[in-house]
Amino acid sequence: MSHTPVTDRRRGSFLGEVKDAVTPRATLLVLGVLALQLLFIASYVGALHDPKPKDVPFGVVAPGAAAERTADRLERLPGATLDPRTVADEASARRQIENREIDGALVVSPSGRTDTLLVASGGGTALATALERVVAQAERAEGRAVRTVDVAPASTRDFNGLSSFYLVVGWCVGGYLCASILAISTGARPADPRRAAIRLIVMALVAIVGGLGGAVIVGPILGALPGGVVDLWGLGALITFAVGAATLALQGVFGIVGIGLAILLVVIAGNPSAGGAFPLPMLPPFWQAIGPWLPPGAGTWTARSIAYFKGNAETASLLVLWAWAVAGTLITLLAAALRVRRQEAELPTQAD
């Protein structure tokens, strides 16, 4: 069957449109999206498919030489589950848990056969539950029983202690989405430092409003977290701005590809390593190592410290967030300044 000239023209027009649409740049972007998709699957499944506690900082309180013997016995548990160290007394163990130096402690009774396990479900219900299971099994093997005391319990409205994590994820999403919208609407790279500064100011305003909104939602409205609204507001503003500034910086250096790099850092690497669903001691080594250095991990740790640990042990994670915010701001402005200088240097060449 022969083709009519009209059919041939239509086919040629269609193939021409396809050729125009599938440019090398578009092809690279599609391949980048495919890579992000596969990395997303690998990261989340790799981090969360088989959570097991390993080298959990753990205190042991016992009279005399029994403390060392108990610590040695717990250290030899299969899988190196616990990283035990002796603690002077129960009060010291409670204080170390509240300061987030250890995640639990076993207080051995000197007279009876029922010991006390101290946990902190506010730091992650999954880890507290895992410690109960591991210690109960170890105690049964010695013919002893154990009762559990929650030193820093999660709110009854904070299912599995996940509210802090979801709150931080929401702030992170707001940060990179706002920065991405600014890029899509006015160009990935700001034309000059003044416009870069305007983007950063807009990002700061969004961060302030979003931080307050998130703190009010999880606090007064839902009652999911017991932390103070002002403290959570400040944290939310810092997280949102840090992620937004980092995204602006990546866009300033790499163009539209910077959005993908921001997703790679914050969503693909940051969320599964944040210690949200499973606290850090339950994650594989790679995610355990990178989590505290990325905004979701630093933010989740700080949010839980505010909510359940009286703000203890939050300095390091706050410094991480400030580092992202400051670095993002400086790189955004520097990339815009270098772009202007590069354009000015090209003008004489173009004039020639």
Side-chain angles (χ1 to χ4, degrees):
M1 180 178 179
S2 61
H3 297 287
T4 65
V6 173
T7 303
D8 290 338
R9 282 198 300 273
R10 287 177 178 173
R11 176 173 297 175
S13 175
F14 173 75
L15 293 175
E17 290 176 0
V18 171
K19 184 178 179 180
D20 291 339
V22 186
T23 62
R25 183 171 182 270
T27 302
L28 289 176
L29 290 175
V30 170
L31 291 175
V33 170
L34 178 61
L36 288 177
Q37 178 190 53
L38 298 179
L39 286 171
F40 184 98
I41 295 170
S43 183
Y44 277 70
V45 177
L48 307 176
H49 77 289
D50 188 24
K52 294 177 181 178
K54 185 175 179 62
D55 293 327
V56 181
F58 192 79
V60 175
V61 179
E68 290 291 347
R69 288 197 303 270
T70 304
D72 184 63
R73 173 168 58 87
L74 294 176
E75 189 173 17
R76 294 198 308 270
L77 290 176
T81 303
L82 301 178
D83 178 18
R85 71 284 310 267
T86 59
V87 180
D89 50 40
E90 181 174 345
S92 298
R94 286 175 176 266
R95 185 166 57 253
Q96 289 188 30
I97 292 174
E98 291 172 352
N99 290 336
R100 309 198 74 177
E101 298 171 11
I102 58 177
D103 292 307
L106 180 65
V107 182
V108 178
S109 172
S111 55
R113 301 197 64 80
T114 299
D115 301 328
T116 301
L117 172 65
L118 305 178
V119 297
S121 60
T125 303
L127 180 57
T129 302
L131 288 178
E132 288 186 60
R133 182 179 65 253
V134 169
V135 173
Q137 184 176 356
E139 289 285 88
R140 280 197 300 271
E142 298 295 314
R144 302 182 68 84
V146 64
R147 68 183 185 94
T148 301
V149 175
D150 202 336
V151 175
S155 167
T156 55
R157 296 187 179 183
D158 182 10
F159 178 73
N160 275 353
L162 291 173
S163 296
S164 300
F165 172 61
Y166 291 139
L167 174 64
V168 170
V169 168
W171 282 328
C172 289
V173 168
Y176 69 73
L177 280 185
C178 180
S180 301
I181 289 171
L182 290 172
I184 293 170
S185 61
T186 58
R189 295 183 174 95
D192 53 52
R194 184 181 67 85
R195 295 184 183 181
I198 291 173
R199 292 190 184 188
L200 289 167
I201 292 171
V202 171
M203 194 68 253
L205 293 174
V206 169
I208 291 171
V209 176
L212 176 60
V216 170
I217 289 172
V218 300
I221 294 179
L222 298 178
L225 290 179
V229 170
V230 174
D231 291 336
L232 288 174
W233 178 11
L235 175 63
L238 176 57
I239 292 172
T240 305
F241 182 78
V243 172
T247 305
L248 290 174
L250 290 169
Q251 290 169 179
V253 175
F254 299 102
I256 199 69
V257 175
I259 297 176
L261 295 176
I263 293 173
L264 174 64
L265 287 172
V266 177
V267 179
I268 295 176
N271 285 353
S273 66
F278 301 107
L280 291 178
M282 300 186 73
L283 298 179
F286 173 75
W287 287 267
Q288 198 175 128
I290 67 172
W293 302 101
L294 298 174
T300 300
W301 177 275
T302 307
R304 283 177 171 162
S305 290
I306 291 172
Y308 298 117
F309 297 94
K310 304 175 184 178
N312 294 327
E314 63 181 19
T315 302
S317 54
L318 285 175
L319 288 175
V320 169
L321 293 171
W322 273 110
W324 279 86
V326 172
T329 299
L330 294 178
I331 293 173
T332 299
L333 295 173
L334 180 61
L338 291 175
R339 186 183 185 198
V340 171
R341 184 177 298 179
R342 191 162 51 247
Q343 290 174 342
E344 291 175 346
E346 292 173 355
L347 285 177
T349 304
Q350 293 174 357
D352 294 341

